Amino acid sequence: MSWSDPARRFEPAEDVQLRAELRDLLGLGPVMAPASASAAAPNAELTALAEDLRREAQRRSRTQRKRPTWGLLAAAALPLLAALAGLGSWGFQQKQRADGLAVQAQRQEQELTRLASTHATEVAQERQARQEVQQKLQLASKKGGRKTEPYLVIPVEKPLRAGAEDYQRVKQNPQ
């Protein structure tokens, strides 16, 4: 219920009378029946005071500073902007990490490629050396007159008898 509603029930008579006087002084509408006859005629001082009050109220209502809506929107958008900035910095850090890992993976791949090529050249050199040795062995076996020996045989002179000097008898022969 509005403060200016005259249908208030439980209000002291002094309040009703004061409201009626203020309504009359401000020129807000018909005056309720005053509680006393002395309040029916306002004097010149009260009328001047009421006029001053009305002018001041109008001046304040015209000059009342209204908040700009952009300021309100900016205040509401600050937490959102802070969250977006945080997410952006986190994303930037993640991108930096991903780029670093990609560079590291590329370096490892290059190192593995280099090692694989080095190993392949070593294996190729080994094969070539084996083939050369096999060719030499085949040529040597053909020159030596021996039949198909795929590897080089170094001739060893065999002694005529097993060396008796190599061992000593510990026991006598039983006769």
Side-chain angles (χ1 to χ4, degrees), residues 37-158:
S38 64
N43 58 11
E45 269 182 43
L46 288 177
T47 307
L49 180 63
E51 192 62 33
D52 287 342
L53 285 174
R54 185 173 54 235
R55 264 185 277 144
E56 181 66 20
Q58 286 176 350
R59 183 189 68 80
R60 285 189 182 182
S61 69
R62 282 188 215 122
T63 62
Q64 183 180 11
R65 185 173 182 181
K66 294 180 181 174
R67 288 187 177 176
T69 54
W70 63 267
L72 187 61
L73 288 175
L78 276 177
L80 180 63
L81 290 175
L84 287 176
L87 284 174
S89 67
W90 178 79
F92 184 72
Q93 288 175 351
Q94 294 302 316
K95 183 183 179 301
Q96 292 295 334
R97 278 189 197 159
D99 290 345
L101 289 174
V103 167
Q104 183 180 5
Q106 186 179 11
R107 285 181 187 160
Q108 287 177 351
E109 187 176 326
Q110 288 174 351
E111 182 68 21
L112 287 174
T113 305
R114 186 188 63 78
L115 288 175
S117 65
T118 304
H119 180 67
T121 55
E122 288 174 359
V123 168
Q125 288 173 355
E126 251 181 59
R127 281 187 190 154
Q128 188 177 9
R130 282 185 195 159
Q131 287 176 355
E132 289 175 2
V133 167
Q134 281 182 347
Q135 288 174 358
K136 287 180 184 179
L137 288 176
Q138 287 175 356
L139 287 176
S141 67
K142 286 180 185 178
K143 286 182 184 177
R146 294 192 180 181
K147 294 186 179 180
T148 59
E149 290 184 21
Y151 50 88
L152 179 63
V153 177
I154 300 173
V156 177
E157 293 182 17
K158 294 182 181 178

